Amino acid sequence: MTATEIAALLEERFGPAITGKKLDALDPFVTVDPAQLVDVCRFLRDDPRLKFALLNDITGVDYLETDAKKVAKAGFEPHLEVLYHLSSFAFPGLRFTLKLVLPRWKGDVIGAIPEVPSVSGVWRGADWHEREVYDLVGVFFNGHPNLVRILLNDDWVGHPLRKDYEFPLEYHGIRCR
């Protein structure tokens, strides 16, 4: 099955929940409405034509241009993206990517991180991937069974992969810079 056929299946099944697509990319993807993410993931896992049984990874990307001179040329509004890379064991070589486009801050309140539903009930391996994105990028996964930091200490402030992250000068008496 091709990326075009997968996108067509998703558009037929979920209609306006598929908000965009880029099928000629190195990793073809569709953009999904976060509210429908879990249903789309279950369909991709369970449909006998696809059987995406493996969630390879979940990544988070911060699209923010911090250089005022480059903002006009950046070509995007500041936002976060969460990407889900999937593979099928039943159909070797069949891979696909889902993308969520999120505001950098929930309700435009600085410090209030955006929220998306957890897919740990669809793929158990999402547990650690979601914790990593939460920890480093600052996306909250609703319904996650244990959403705590995975790489940084529990009392760490901020999310280091955000472009506007300010690295602390000191942490528990240890100089950081």
Side-chain angles (χ1 to χ4, degrees), residues 24-91:
D24 60 348
L26 183 60
D27 289 326
F29 67 86
V30 296
T31 306
V32 178
D33 176 353
Q36 295 296 312
L37 176 65
V38 174
D39 292 335
V40 170
C41 289
R42 278 197 189 104
F43 175 79
L44 290 168
R45 181 196 66 190
D46 297 341
D47 188 280
R49 297 166 288 186
L50 303 171
K51 295 187 178 183
F52 283 108
L54 176 63
L55 172 67
N56 297 329
D57 63 26
I58 302 173
T59 58
V61 182
D62 184 4
Y63 282 88
L64 174 69
E65 180 52 66
T66 56
D67 185 341
K69 295 176 186 175
K70 296 180 182 178
V71 168
K73 295 180 184 177
F76 57 81
E77 290 293 318
H79 67 280
L80 296 179
E81 292 183 1
V82 179
L83 297 114
Y84 299 77
H85 295 94
L86 312 173
S87 292
S88 174
F89 292 125
F91 305 104

Side-chain angles (χ1 to χ4, degrees), residues 60-169:
V61 182
D62 184 4
Y63 282 88
L64 174 69
E65 180 52 66
T66 56
D67 185 341
K69 295 176 186 175
K70 296 180 182 178
V71 168
K73 295 180 184 177
F76 57 81
E77 290 293 318
H79 67 280
L80 296 179
E81 292 183 1
V82 179
L83 297 114
Y84 299 77
H85 295 94
L86 312 173
S87 292
S88 174
F89 292 125
F91 305 104
L94 185 58
R95 300 176 354 167
F96 200 67
T97 303
L98 300 177
K99 180 191 289 190
L100 304 179
V101 177
L102 308 169
R104 293 192 77 246
W105 303 110
K106 181 179 175 185
D108 290 328
V109 176
I110 293 177
I113 62 176
E115 299 178 8
V116 300
S118 173
V119 297
S120 61
V122 179
W123 296 288
R124 187 68 182 121
D127 184 326
W128 284 30
H129 296 300
E130 289 176 349
R131 287 176 59 195
E132 182 179 32
V133 173
Y134 164 71
D135 196 6
L136 299 177
V137 182
V139 175
F140 189 88
F141 292 89
N142 286 319
H144 188 282
N146 185 27
L147 193 62
V148 295
R149 290 191 180 268
I150 193 168
L151 297 171
L152 300 169
N153 285 343
D154 292 337
D155 63 348
W156 194 267
V157 176
H159 306 279
L161 292 185
R162 284 194 174 235
K163 301 261 177 97
D164 56 355
Y165 176 73
E166 293 184 26
F167 202 77
L169 297 174

